[in-house]
């Protein structure tokens, strides 16, 4: 979330070939120096809920294959540093917040929010060593109850004030799960309309019936048309369901994929961002950012802080929970493997949105590489 998608065409599916191993690597690897990691570092990505970071506290976070220490000073300022202390490599995420700085728990070296070493306790003062003992520091900002990080080059883009983050008179909460798979198979799900009628329609109904639970019917209508259009922030996914028309909101309004890691869903008084944050190549921090609007003319309840909660997706034996919509999604993502093997796929016409998303990613990688 930060820069706009500028170039891609949403034409008919022209290439049904699987990806090569080299293309697969390019799209899925997110660590430092990788093509995709370099692209994703141009965007603000959420790493924590604001309510989790009280003044004077620090917590470990992992983003794009990097271990970081996120902290809040006593006055509320945010700091985000490489977690590895340059002295002996102990994690700064277990350090002590002092003034606007973070002190390593191991030997007391202290670093300010810019990454400079401001104190190096030792038997003898050594100013030259202190000046050399810097660590990487990154930008951190808050919006709508989330803490966002930016790991890319300066200048950082503005943190986009998308609607659900800033709507007045609304109630919000944040669900979260650490999903054990690569970020891309989760994002590709967002441009795959037809899975709605099968995974969330037929499969969900069968699972709930087997448990003696009411079986929803709202998702079981057959798709008669799907489409994808570019807009300045990503891709609009559209569908027409059996018995419907292009005048329905599913087509007329559609569902936006906000490039590169977010999708927006909802209607009426309940709206949601799903944000898929690449922790590393095989883990994704998934946020469900929900916004609830009161009836027209009514005030929303007062909310001092936006709560965060963990979304369960496995039972006590590690089996997937598939009797609710998001649980079915997570089962499908994780069952593809830690990194889905796209060299063995057989894409068909209903996968045109997936082809479009991959095309955009390759084009944006090329734009970054071209400067």
């Amino acid at each position: 979330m930060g820069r706009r998608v500028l170039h891609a065409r949403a034409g008919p599916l022209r290439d049904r070939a699987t990806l090569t191993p080299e293309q697969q690597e390019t799209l899925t690897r997110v660590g430092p120096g990788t093509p995709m990691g370099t692209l994703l570092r141009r965007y603000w990505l959420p790493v924590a809920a604001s309510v989790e970071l009280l003044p004077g506290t620090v917590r470990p976070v992992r983003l794009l294959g990097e271990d970081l220490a996120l902290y809040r000073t006593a006055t509320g300022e945010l700091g985000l540093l490489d977690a590895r202390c340059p002295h002996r490599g102990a994690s700064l995420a277990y350090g002590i917040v002092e003034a606007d700085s973070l002190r390593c728990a191991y030997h007391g070296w202290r670093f300010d929010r810019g990454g400079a070493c401001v104190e190096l306790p030792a038997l003898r003062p050594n100013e030259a060593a202190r000046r050399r003992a810097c660590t990487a520091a990154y930008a951190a900002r808050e919006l709508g109850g989330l803490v966002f990080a930016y790991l890319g080059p300066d200048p950082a883009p503005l943190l986009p004030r998308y609607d659900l983050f800033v709507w007045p008179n609304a109630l919000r909460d944040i669900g979260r799960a650490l999903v054990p798979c690569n970020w891309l198979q989760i994002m590709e799900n967002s441009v795959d309309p037809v899975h709605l009628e099968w995974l969330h329609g037929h499969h969900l109904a069968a699972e709930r019936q087997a448990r003696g639970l009411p079986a929803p019917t709202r998702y079981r209508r057959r798709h008669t048309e799907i489409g994808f259009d570019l807009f300045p922030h990503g891709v609009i996914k559209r569908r027409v369901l059996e018995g419907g028309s292009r005048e329905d909101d599913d087509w007329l309004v559609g569902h936006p994929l906000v490039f590169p890691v977010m999708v927006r869903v909802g209607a009426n008084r309940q709206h949601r961002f799903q944000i898929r944050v690449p922790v590393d190549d095989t883990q994704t921090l998934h946020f469900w950012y929900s916004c609830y609007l009161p009836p027209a003319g009514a005030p929303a309840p007062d909310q001092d802080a936006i709560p965060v909660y963990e979304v369960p997706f496995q039972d006590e034996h590690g089996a997937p929970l598939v009797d609710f919509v998001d649980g079915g999604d997570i089962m499908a993502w994780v069952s593809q493997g830690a990194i889905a093997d796209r060299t063995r796929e057989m894409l068909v016409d209903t996968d045109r949105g997936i082809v479009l998303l991959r095309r955009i990613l390759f084009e944006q990688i090329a734009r970054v590489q071209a400067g």
Side-chain angles (χ1 to χ4, degrees):
M1 292 150 46
R3 302 193 191 281
R4 300 195 306 172
V5 182
L6 298 177
H7 300 292
R9 294 184 300 276
L13 181 63
R14 291 190 294 269
D15 181 10
R16 293 176 181 164
T18 56
L19 295 182
T20 66
E22 294 75 19
Q23 290 172 322
Q24 161 91 355
E25 288 287 296
T26 297
L27 288 182
T28 57
R29 302 297 179 178
V30 299
T34 62
M36 184 60 72
T38 302
L39 171 62
L40 293 174
R41 281 166 173 77
R42 266 66 178 175
Y43 294 85
W44 289 95
L45 301 171
V47 292
S50 296
V51 72
E52 299 176 288
L53 202 63
L54 299 175
T57 63
V58 57
R59 61 182 288 116
V61 297
R62 184 166 169 81
L63 178 62
L64 299 173
E66 297 191 42
D67 289 312
L68 307 169
L70 174 66
Y71 70 98
R72 190 190 298 277
T73 70
T75 58
E77 299 294 325
L78 295 174
L80 184 63
L81 303 177
D82 181 349
R84 185 185 185 279
C85 178
H87 178 208
R88 297 289 310 286
S91 176
L92 295 174
Y94 303 101
I96 303 168
V97 179
E98 295 185 12
D100 69 342
S101 61
L102 185 59
R103 187 184 294 276
C104 181
Y106 200 11
H107 296 96
W109 292 26
R110 188 161 61 92
F111 303 89
D112 67 16
R113 291 193 299 129
C117 182
V118 294
E119 186 181 354
L120 192 160
L123 293 177
R124 293 184 298 275
N126 189 331
E127 282 302 302
R130 184 186 64 78
R131 288 192 295 269
R132 291 198 310 271
C134 59
T135 190
Y138 302 103
R141 303 281 187 274
E142 287 180 280
L143 181 65
L146 286 171
V147 177
F148 292 81
Y150 175 77
L151 273 57
D154 292 330
L158 294 176
L159 177 56
R161 295 173 60 82
Y162 290 126
D163 55 358
L164 303 192
F165 297 139
V166 297
W167 267 353
N169 197 40
L171 193 68
R172 296 174 173 83
D173 61 30
I174 301 167
R176 178 181 58 196
L178 184 62
V179 182
C181 71
N182 185 261
W183 74 285
L184 185 58
Q185 55 224 58
I186 303 179
M187 287 309 301
E188 288 175 341
N189 182 82
S190 298
V191 281
D192 176 12
V194 178
H195 85 272
L196 181 83
E197 65 181 275
W198 293 102
L199 181 62
H200 304 320
H202 298 285
H203 181 267
L204 178 60
E207 289 289 339
R208 290 183 64 84
Q209 287 172 343
R211 291 164 170 77
L213 300 172
T217 59
R218 59 177 296 196
Y219 298 121
R220 297 176 68 174
R221 294 165 63 193
R222 188 175 67 87
H223 285 69
T224 61
E225 188 175 4
I226 61 173
F228 305 89
D229 294 307
L230 298 181
F231 79 120
H233 296 274
V235 179
I236 302 291
K237 173 179 65 178
R238 305 184 192 278
R239 61 164 58 95
V240 176
L241 299 174
E242 194 170 42
S245 74
R246 287 192 172 194
E247 298 304 310
D248 298 332
D249 283 351
D250 272 344
W251 184 276
L252 200 61
V253 178
H255 301 94
L257 181 153
V258 182
F259 189 85
V261 298
M262 191 162 74
V263 65
R264 189 191 188 289
V265 297
N268 301 321
R269 297 201 302 271
Q270 296 187 20
H271 300 261
R272 174 178 286 177
F273 284 140
Q274 294 186 26
I275 313 172
R276 291 75 180 260
V277 181
V279 171
D280 50 36
D281 293 341
T282 59
Q283 298 182 99
T284 303
L285 185 59
H286 194 298
F287 290 99
W288 290 264
Y289 186 94
S290 297
C291 189
Y292 310 95
L293 302 179
D302 292 333
Q303 193 170 31
D304 295 330
I306 299 175
V308 62
Y309 62 94
E310 299 296 326
V311 175
F313 59 89
Q314 294 177 321
D315 65 17
E316 65 273 18
H317 306 294
L321 299 174
V322 293
D323 58 349
F324 67 109
V325 168
D326 293 314
D329 277 326
I330 296 174
M331 176 276 293
W333 306 335
V334 173
S335 68
Q336 291 175 290
I339 302 177
D341 185 358
R342 293 166 181 81
T343 69
R344 300 172 60 192
E345 293 177 323
M346 189 185 76
L347 301 185
V348 295
D349 187 61
T350 53
D351 299 315
R352 68 186 72 164
I354 294 170
V355 173
L356 173 63
L357 177 60
R358 294 175 186 176
R359 187 181 305 148
I360 293 171
L361 289 167
F362 279 123
E363 290 179 357
Q364 295 302 301
I365 287 171
R367 287 168 62 82
V368 170
Q369 292 175 334

